[in-house]
Amino acid sequence: MTEPASARIVVLISGSGSNLQALLDATTDPAYGARVVAVGADRDGIAGLDRAVAAGVPTFVAPLKAYDSREDWDRALTAQVAEHRPDLIISAGFLKLVGPQFLAAFGDRYLNTHNTLLPAFPGIHGPRDALAYGVKITGATLFFVDAGMDTGPIVAQVAVPVLDDDDEESLTERIKSAERRQLVEQVGRLVRNGWTITGRKVTIP
Ligand code: GRF
């Protein structure tokens, strides 16, 4: 019997890797249509790298400060990712903005998941900013990365209520559970059906 086509995914992380874990779990089913072929990070010693090793997935680390310039780092990261011939690259809590080399190579297939409903509250403190603003609904946004910060064309969004007694941690965790479900569902749709990006509009047939 022939195996169904399986897309090659590289996941980039900077932290705990719970979104990565959701992808590692989903991709154990061959019917999902993709496998994680490598996990890259911008720092050592993070739980997400241990998750990759436990799943038998190759890892690489490209710390920004190991390079003379941001351009050199961008070039090195691009080369390390390219070695794994990815069909899709997913930033799952990767805390660095990639540069022009990376976007030239992977711009139409580099996804990021963000923990607010964009365009509200971009940046690394999304849930904290949403709470401080007093919004009643926030959520998570999956989008294709462009040269801006959290500005690229949106694939999907999921709404999450803000509760009266939320603090940053409780809200962040509630968002993350919805975010992981969305990531697994939408990445599956993307790899099985393909996608087109027309201006800001992403279509999955
Ligand atoms: C996610 O909520 C993502 O939106 C944010 O960082 C978190 C990563 O969590 N940028 P994890 O490392 O996948 O657990």
Side-chain angles (χ1 to χ4, degrees), residues 178-196:
E179 184 178 29
R180 289 191 288 267
R181 283 194 298 276
Q182 170 170 265
L183 181 67
V184 166
E185 184 189 332
Q186 298 298 329
V187 166
R189 289 183 65 214
L190 288 165
V191 296
R192 290 190 298 271
N193 301 347
W195 64 91
T196 54

Side-chain angles (χ1 to χ4, degrees), residues 11-17 19 40-44 46 62-64 70 73 77 90-99 110-115 122-127 143 145 148-150 168 172 176 179:
V11 182
L12 300 179
I13 57 168
S14 296
S16 74
N19 283 282
D42 65 330
R43 63 199 72 188
D44 248 323
I46 52 175
L64 181 54
R70 209 166 173 110
W73 172 77
L77 181 70
I90 302 173
S91 158
F94 187 59
L95 295 176
K96 292 283 184 300
L97 286 179
V98 298
Y110 180 37
L111 281 175
N112 186 23
T113 176
H114 180 71
N115 49 10
I124 61 171
H125 297 300
F143 64 99
V145 178
M149 187 177 63
D150 298 331
E168 186 182 354
T172 299
K176 277 174 82 162
E179 184 178 29

Side-chain angles (χ1 to χ4, degrees), residues 3-85:
E3 286 281 310
S6 181
R8 301 172 63 84
I9 297 178
V10 171
V11 182
L12 300 179
I13 57 168
S14 296
S16 74
S18 69
N19 283 282
L20 164 67
Q21 189 65 56
L23 288 167
L24 289 170
D25 294 346
T27 51
T28 57
D29 178 359
Y32 185 74
R35 61 194 192 281
V36 180
V37 294
V39 172
D42 65 330
R43 63 199 72 188
D44 248 323
I46 52 175
L49 286 172
D50 298 337
R51 294 178 191 269
V53 171
V57 173
T59 62
F60 57 89
V61 180
L64 181 54
K65 56 178 184 290
Y67 295 89
D68 288 341
S69 66
R70 209 166 173 110
E71 289 71 25
D72 286 354
W73 172 77
D74 184 36
R75 194 171 304 113
L77 181 70
T78 305
Q80 281 178 304
V81 170
E83 262 180 43
H84 299 282
R85 295 176 287 109

